[in-house]
Every structure is written in structure tokens, then in C-alpha cells.
């Protein structure tokens, strides 16, 4: 039995990146031998075991054969006679197909280190095309490693495009698409993911609502215009530089949809987007113009904005809304986005108006809300005059 650290952990270690998860491949072992050593089997389709102490995953070396449609339609063969190289060949990209032995020596039978040094994302074999999910994974790696200078190999990009044109991506469920999108949103350059998919025609398949924005244009000047889709990606890029909050990043990407009669709700429902992400995107879409023009709103309109966004009960979400709106001001830093400080000051002043004295003064029922609003408007009017 030989045990090797495999995949992303080896790759990230060689790139001097933090290693978060460690996976291991076991060559020359049977399930019975693993169980006898105290490992707990968790895999049904192929033998995966949890280490008795660390609980890290150890998978028996295996080969795969396409036996059905979709990204789950594979028959796996795991046995002691499966070699390390046979196991590595079935993986997606060369940079994910290196292992490290127990002494810390890197074993690289596919010469993947060359691609790592050249910052290339290259598929290992034509079997790459058997799994449509890999198209999204490569785009995600392109986003994750963009800052390190990684690009997709020309032949890999061509293969991804061919898979898209063949209709392979139609096999992916919306829920699985969202999982890849959600992972991508945490990258330093999430916009690269959507740029890659747009380039190969895949964005129209997996997120047609977003792709439709690229057919709409906004004028920057008399002789210059930008597609709304590109504007959405620029806002996503800006939001990623401002916040690690995935809900903010999603809302930044989505904030143009409803304004062009493309339903955020429909996309969120189809892809099973978390409610927190959906609701923030809807609030930003509905209120961004009011927020951008906050200084021109009268106190009554400002109170109405706070009511509509439920800023009284959810001040943290209101700050998310402001941060997302700031991401659309791509030529400015977030600290220069004046509505943030202005509306935060106004909200604090309005929240200083206590309801208890109003009740003590004899107001009842709907009168309490009316009087509270009146006093809040008065407070904001006074603040503006100062």
C-alpha cells in the first residue's frame, strides 16, 4: 500500500498558496485492508475512506469509464492493480495531477510541473470532454488563478467550446451550475469566470439571463458604448475589490437585470440561489437609483427608502446595499462614494427617535407609526439644515 498527497494540495503548495484541504490517493490497497486499519468508508460509487484520526479523505486509485449521460454517468474501477499514473490520467487538468509522497517528494508522471511554471491550464486527455462540469471548473480555475498569470491553453479552450457547441452543458442541473458560480464568487477575479464562459458560448447555456445583457449597450460618450453585460462584470470586479461578502458580489453582478426586464427572481429560483443573495440583489436593483441620488432626496423620501429596505431592523443588510451600490461607481474608491456616509448618518439620526415617548404621549395603533415617521422626518430636516 502506497499513500500520496494528491491534487490541489500539491498544486497550491508548489504555488506557495495556503493549503486548505488535503486529499490522498491510495495505490495497491483493497477496501478490506483500509477497513482493517480503522478507516471509515463513505463512498458508494467508488471507495473513499476517512482517516480514523484526521478524518481526511483517502481514495483508492481508480479508473473511470463513461457509462451514461451527465457528469455523474461514470463507472469506476478501483483495485490494487490500478497504477498511480492511471489514476492521475483520469483527472481534469495537468496541474491537478501531481502527487507528493510521504517524504515530501513530488511525483509528476505527466510533466505537469512545466504547465504550472508556464501558468497554463491544460486538459490531460480527450476524456476531459466526457464530463461537461469540467468546462465550468476550468473557468473557475482561470478566475481563481488570474492574479498569478494563469491562462487557459488554446487547445483546452477549443475543446471547451466544442463541448458547448455539442450541447454537453445542457446536462448540467441549475443547482450544480450555482455551486460552481458560488465557489467562483469567492475568487479574487470572479469576473474572469464569466468572461471565459462568454467567450466559448457557454454563458448563454448556463446563465442566459446574464448573457442577454451583452446584447444591450449603454453609451459612455458620443462615440463610445459598452455592453450592459460588460458593465455587470466590471461591477462584479469592483465589488470583489471592496468586499469578500458573496451576497454583495452576487448582487453587484445582478443589479442590471431587472432594469432590463430580466427577472432576478426567475434566475434565483431556477438556480436555487440562497435567499440572502436573492433578497440583497432585489433590494439593490430596486433602490440603487435612490441611493446614488441620495443627496437630492427630501427627508420624507429618505425615510421611505429606509422603510422599503427595512433598514430599521436590518441595518447590516442596508450597509450591504450601500456597498453594492458603491461597486457601480467604478472610477471611485468606496470611501469616495458619498451616499454611504450620508445615508448612514441619516439612518443613525432617525434611529435616535425613540418610540416609548410617543406611546407615553397617548398615541395608539397606526398613530404611533405616523408620529414616529413625522418625528424622524423632522430630525432629518434639522440635520440637513445643519
Amino acid at each position: 500500500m502506497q499513500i500520496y498527497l494528491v491534487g490541489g494540495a500539491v498544486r497550491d503548495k508548489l504555488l506557495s498558496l495556503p493549503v486548505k484541504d488535503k486529499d490522498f490517493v491510495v495505490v495497491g490497497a483493497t477496501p478490506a485492508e483500509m477497513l482493517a486499519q480503522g478507516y471509515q468508508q463513505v463512498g458508494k460509487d467508488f471507495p473513499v475512506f476517512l482517516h480514523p484520526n484526521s478524518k481526511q479523505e483517502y481514495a483508492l486509485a481508480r479508473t473511470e469509464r463513461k457509462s451514461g449521460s451527465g457528469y455523474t454517468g461514470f463507472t469506476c474501477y478501483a483495485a490494487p492493480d490500478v497504477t498511480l499514473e492511471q489514476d492521475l490520467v483520469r483527472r481534469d487538468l495537468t496541474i491537478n495531477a501531481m502527487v507528493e509522497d510521504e517524504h515530501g517528494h513530488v511525483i509528476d508522471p505527466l510533466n505537469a510541473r512545466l504547465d504550472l511554471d508556464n501558468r497554463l491550464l491544460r486538459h490531460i486527455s480527450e476524456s476531459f470532454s466526457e464530463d461537461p462540469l469540467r468546462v465550468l471548473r476550468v473557468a473557475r480555475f482561470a478566475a481563481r488563478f488570474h492574479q498569478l498569470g494563469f491562462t487557459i491553453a488554446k487547445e483546452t479552450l477549443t475543446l471547451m467550446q466544442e463541448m458547448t457547441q455539442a450541447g454537453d452543458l445542457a446536462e448540467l442541473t441549475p443547482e450544480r451550475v450555482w455551486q460552481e458560480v458560488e465557489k467562483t464568487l469567492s475568487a479574487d477575479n470572479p469576473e474572469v469566470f464569466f468572461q471565459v464562459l462568454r467567450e466559448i458560448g457557454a454563458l448563454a447555456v448556463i446563465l442566459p439571463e446574464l448573457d442577454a445583457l451583452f446584447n444591450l449597450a449603454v453609451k459612455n460618450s458620443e462615440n463610445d458604448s459598452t455592453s450592459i453585460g460588460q458593465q455587470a462584470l466590471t461591477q462584479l470586479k469592483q465589488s470583489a475589490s471592496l468586499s469578500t461578502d458573496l451576497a454583495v458580489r452576487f448582487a453587484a453582478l445582478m443589479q442590471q437585470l431587472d432594469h432590463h426586464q430580466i427577472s432576478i427572481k426567475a434566475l434565483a429560483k431556477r438556480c436555487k440561489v440562497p435567499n440572502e443573495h436573492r433578497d440583497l440583489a432585489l433590494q439593490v436593483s430596486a433602490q440603487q437609483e435612490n441611493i446614488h441620488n441620495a443627496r437630492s432626496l427630501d427627508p420624507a423620501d429618505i425615510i421611505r427608502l429606509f422603510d422599503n429596505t427595512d433598514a430599521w431592523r436590518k441595518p447590516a443588510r442596508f450597509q450591504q446595499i450601500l456597498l453594492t451600490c458603491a461597486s457601480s461607481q467604478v472610477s471611485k474608491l468606496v470611501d469616495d462614494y458619498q451616499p454611504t456616509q450620508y445615508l448612514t448618518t441619516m439612518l443613525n439620526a432617525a434611529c435616535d427617535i425613540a418610540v416609548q415617548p410617543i406611546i407615553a404621549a397617548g398615541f395608539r395603533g397606526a398613530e404611533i407609526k405616523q408620529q414616529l415617521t413625522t418625528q424622524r422626518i423632522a430630525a432629518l430636516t434639522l440635520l440637513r439644515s445643519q
Side-chain angles (χ1 to χ4, degrees):
M1 180 190 303
Q2 295 172 301
I3 298 177
Y4 303 94
L5 181 67
V6 66
V10 180
R11 176 201 66 221
D12 290 351
K13 187 175 180 180
L14 292 173
L15 290 172
S16 299
L17 297 175
V19 175
K20 297 180 181 179
D21 299 312
K22 290 185 176 182
D23 294 317
F24 297 84
V25 60
V26 182
V27 179
T30 65
E33 290 173 321
M34 298 295 288
L35 293 172
Q37 294 191 27
Y39 288 82
Q40 179 184 358
Q41 185 168 353
V42 294
K44 295 180 179 180
D45 298 328
F46 54 86
V48 175
F49 300 83
L50 297 182
H51 190 279
N53 299 321
S54 69
K55 304 305 178 184
Q56 292 170 329
E57 289 191 357
Y58 288 68
L60 297 187
R62 66 187 189 273
T63 60
E64 292 177 343
R65 178 175 56 84
K66 187 71 172 174
S67 59
S69 61
Y71 53 91
T72 60
F74 291 89
T75 298
C76 298
Y77 173 74
D81 61 342
V82 177
T83 66
L84 176 62
E85 186 168 351
Q86 286 176 318
D87 180 88
L88 295 178
V89 164
R90 68 173 177 79
R91 298 174 185 269
D92 52 4
L93 299 174
T94 56
I95 64 168
N96 297 329
M98 292 177 283
V99 301
E100 182 181 285
D101 66 17
E102 59 184 334
H103 304 294
H105 299 141
V106 175
I107 300 173
D108 181 18
L110 303 181
N111 200 25
R113 186 64 184 268
L114 183 61
D115 282 344
L116 193 76
D117 293 340
N118 290 331
R119 300 299 192 254
L120 269 184
L121 302 172
R122 189 196 307 275
H123 67 284
I124 294 174
S125 70
E126 292 304 309
S127 64
F128 177 96
S129 63
E130 295 178 349
D131 185 356
L133 186 62
R134 287 176 169 176
V135 172
L136 274 60
R137 280 175 50 83
V138 173
R140 176 161 59 83
F141 280 123
R144 179 181 176 187
F145 295 132
H146 177 75
Q147 285 194 324
L148 296 179
F150 274 84
T151 58
I152 302 173
K154 183 178 179 180
E155 60 269 31
T156 301
L157 201 61
T158 298
L159 182 56
M160 292 163 62
Q161 188 172 36
E162 290 173 351
M163 293 169 64
T164 301
Q165 293 173 346
D168 295 349
L169 271 62
E171 300 174 355
L172 300 175
T173 64
E175 297 92 331
R176 195 65 186 87
V177 168
W178 170 249
Q179 289 178 27
E180 291 298 312
V181 171
E182 188 172 38
K183 291 176 184 177
T184 298
L185 288 176
S186 65
D188 290 330
N189 294 93
E191 77 283 354
V192 173
F193 173 84
F194 302 98
Q195 289 169 347
V196 169
L197 296 182
R198 168 74 180 171
E199 180 180 351
I200 63 174
L203 191 61
V205 179
I206 66 165
L207 289 174
E209 300 90 345
L210 183 59
D211 186 74
L213 293 180
F214 286 87
N215 297 321
L216 305 172
V218 59
K219 275 194 173 183
N220 299 327
S221 63
E222 290 185 6
N223 301 316
D224 186 29
S225 64
T226 303
S227 75
I228 302 298
Q230 188 55 52
Q231 189 178 73
L233 296 191
T234 300
Q235 290 169 176
L236 172 61
K237 180 179 181 180
Q238 180 76 349
S239 73
S241 71
L242 302 179
S243 174
T244 58
D245 189 329
L246 300 191
V248 167
R249 295 183 179 194
F250 176 74
L253 180 65
M254 294 287 109
Q255 62 181 303
Q256 296 292 337
L257 265 65
D258 278 354
H259 282 266
H260 296 88
Q261 288 73 54
I262 303 172
S263 174
I264 294 174
K265 281 186 177 180
L267 182 150
K269 182 178 181 180
R270 177 171 56 83
C271 293
K272 303 292 191 297
V273 174
N275 292 343
E276 175 192 0
H277 292 29
R278 177 203 63 199
D279 292 346
L280 180 61
L282 290 170
Q283 286 283 3
V284 169
S285 178
Q287 302 299 335
Q288 57 185 316
E289 291 304 318
N290 286 330
I291 291 172
H292 292 329
N293 301 309
R295 286 190 170 274
S296 66
L297 299 179
D298 62 38
D301 289 333
I302 293 176
I303 295 298
R304 194 173 298 112
L305 170 64
F306 294 155
D307 285 339
N308 291 337
T309 56
D310 199 11
W312 317 111
R313 293 190 307 151
K314 299 180 178 180
R317 190 181 70 177
F318 188 69
Q319 289 301 317
Q320 288 179 307
I321 295 171
L322 294 177
L323 188 56
T324 308
C325 289
S327 72
S328 65
Q329 308 301 300
V330 296
S331 62
K332 301 176 182 179
L333 298 175
V334 66
D335 293 339
D336 296 329
Y337 185 63
Q338 295 182 2
T340 298
Q341 182 176 356
Y342 179 71
L343 288 173
T344 299
T345 301
M346 289 290 180
L347 179 60
N348 291 337
C351 287
D352 285 341
I353 305 301
V355 70
Q356 289 81 3
I358 296 174
I359 297 174
F363 291 95
R364 294 291 181 268
E367 294 177 338
I368 297 174
K369 170 66 174 174
Q370 293 170 359
Q371 184 63 21
L372 183 61
T373 297
T374 298
Q375 291 190 24
R376 283 170 168 171
I377 291 174
L380 299 195
T381 302
L382 177 62
L383 184 61
R384 280 180 28 133
S385 70
Q386 297 173 344

